[in-house]
Amino acid sequence: MMAPVPWVSPPRTSLAAGVVWPILPESLGVPAVVDVDLGNTPDRALALWAAARSLRNLSLVVSSDEYGGRRAGLAARLVDLMGVDAAVVAGAEHAGAQRRWVCEHLVDDRAPAVVSTDLLGQLDKMTACHPQGPILWIVLGPATNLAHAIAARPGLAARLVVVMQAGTRRRGNAERNIRLDPVAARTVVAASSRVASLRMLLAEHVPHEPATAVFDALSGSSSPAWDLLAECARAWMAARNSAPPMRAVLTLAWAAGLPVVESAFTTVAITDHAELVAGKPAAAGAHLSTAVADETFSRWLRGRLETAPANDPHRRGATSRNSSAGSIG
């Protein structure tokens, strides 16, 4: 992992006062955790690729909704192709995960061995390397891994800047990530008074950037990492025949500090039916998304894609292996 970056404590932010974490992780070298269920909608793979390209200190990738180590194996393969020195952990499994897995042909002997199944052990290593300052935790699947970490390492909560792709304010609807583990979602929300920041991107806030155009841009590239992303997209289209949303990539961009999502602070509760209820008295608080800045998001994503081949350490014809970490802008 990258050596610790000197950290100067920013002015204390108050979640109760509705203040969003104000500092770009890139500017501080904040250690980042990407908690993701690869092998389903391909925007998740694109989000992990964007994290490797955009976050200065991607320290840990943990698979959620795991399916026998397959998602972690796919994550390890992509991280390796990106040339990023991040640990990969096989996280929590959920019943029916095979129904949410479409990339069987992409995990074989080409996939690097999963580093660990010990999430807490890897977190301890990360916090030993970074003993103070914030930790960015980006949740793109169910929140089981994060809930486990908060319960097992309660002192970690105060350092966490949490950004989740979770929930909807549509009455009578249970968003998929919360539905897979409502107890975990409730645990994370209940810890909102102890974490540095909690933000939630709701299901109704989807960027207008056409997914098909994004993945078409990946075809025929000189980059093995891009080839893998394109394969993930083709696998999804073959299995589901529907264009995926770009919600995971939008969540990543928001977590990276880009002004791509507007939000408002409110109280939040998770019901027994896995529904998110906002504005409930005496409930925990979080910043919920209210709108998407489509033009800003589109400009950032297209900029990432346009500059990607020259920065891929494994691109065909490359003469050296370079660091894949880049600036957020």
Side-chain angles (χ1 to χ4, degrees), residues 104-164:
E104 187 68 23
H105 65 295
L106 297 180
V107 178
D108 54 24
D109 56 6
R110 294 171 298 177
V114 174
V115 173
S116 176
T117 56
D118 183 8
L119 173 60
L120 297 180
Q122 290 297 327
L123 282 175
D124 290 343
K125 289 180 181 179
M126 184 179 70
T127 54
C129 185
H130 304 275
Q132 62 174 336
I135 295 171
L136 177 63
W137 195 306
I138 305 167
V139 183
L140 303 176
T144 313
N145 296 315
L146 176 57
H148 175 50
I150 290 174
R153 299 289 187 270
L156 182 67
R159 299 180 60 187
L160 292 178
V161 178
V162 179
V163 184
M164 302 173 63

Side-chain angles (χ1 to χ4, degrees), residues 62-317:
V62 55
S63 62
S64 59
D65 193 26
E66 185 51 81
Y67 177 38
R70 291 169 174 83
R71 299 192 199 279
L74 185 59
R77 186 178 168 201
L78 182 55
V79 166
D80 180 68
L81 289 174
M82 292 298 296
V84 175
D85 185 20
V88 179
V89 174
E93 300 198 7
H94 292 281
Q98 68 275 13
R99 298 192 300 271
R100 299 180 291 274
W101 169 256
V102 300
C103 292
E104 187 68 23
H105 65 295
L106 297 180
V107 178
D108 54 24
D109 56 6
R110 294 171 298 177
V114 174
V115 173
S116 176
T117 56
D118 183 8
L119 173 60
L120 297 180
Q122 290 297 327
L123 282 175
D124 290 343
K125 289 180 181 179
M126 184 179 70
T127 54
C129 185
H130 304 275
Q132 62 174 336
I135 295 171
L136 177 63
W137 195 306
I138 305 167
V139 183
L140 303 176
T144 313
N145 296 315
L146 176 57
H148 175 50
I150 290 174
R153 299 289 187 270
L156 182 67
R159 299 180 60 187
L160 292 178
V161 178
V162 179
V163 184
M164 302 173 63
Q165 177 185 312
T168 176
R169 296 183 76 162
R170 298 175 182 136
R171 297 292 297 274
N173 286 281
E175 185 267 343
R176 176 255 192 201
N177 287 342
I178 292 181
R179 187 174 66 248
L180 282 176
D181 194 343
V183 174
R186 198 174 297 122
T187 297
V188 173
V189 168
S192 65
S193 62
R194 296 188 286 124
V195 301
S197 177
L198 173 61
R199 287 177 274 170
M200 303 174 73
L201 182 75
L202 304 183
E204 50 266 42
H205 298 131
V206 180
H208 292 153
E209 182 72 17
T212 51
V214 171
F215 287 103
D216 284 347
L218 302 175
S219 301
S221 76
S222 61
S223 161
W226 274 29
D227 290 344
L228 181 57
L229 295 177
E231 284 289 341
C232 290
R234 283 192 285 270
W236 169 262
M237 292 299 292
R240 303 289 190 263
N241 194 29
S242 62
M246 289 285 104
R247 285 183 62 222
V249 188
L250 178 65
T251 305
L252 183 280
W254 191 24
L258 291 161
V260 292
V261 174
E262 296 179 15
S263 65
F265 181 81
T266 185
T267 55
V268 177
I270 308 297
T271 72
D272 292 338
H273 300 290
E275 294 180 33
L276 182 149
V277 178
K280 188 174 182 179
H287 298 274
L288 302 186
S289 61
T290 58
V292 177
D294 279 299
E295 184 177 347
T296 302
F297 173 73
S298 178
R299 186 168 59 249
W300 169 80
L301 180 57
R302 291 178 183 275
R304 296 282 85 182
L305 294 172
E306 288 170 2
T307 60
N311 291 282
D312 187 338
H314 288 276
R315 70 188 186 281
R316 286 181 284 276

Side-chain angles (χ1 to χ4, degrees), residues 22-65:
I23 300 174
L24 296 180
E26 171 64 20
S27 67
L28 295 177
V30 170
V33 179
V34 174
D35 193 340
V36 59
D37 51 341
L38 294 186
N40 192 12
T41 57
D43 64 316
R44 289 161 166 79
L46 186 60
L48 180 55
W49 171 86
R53 288 274 294 120
S54 300
L55 298 178
R56 179 178 169 188
N57 195 0
L58 176 59
S59 300
L60 179 62
V61 178
V62 55
S63 62
S64 59
D65 193 26

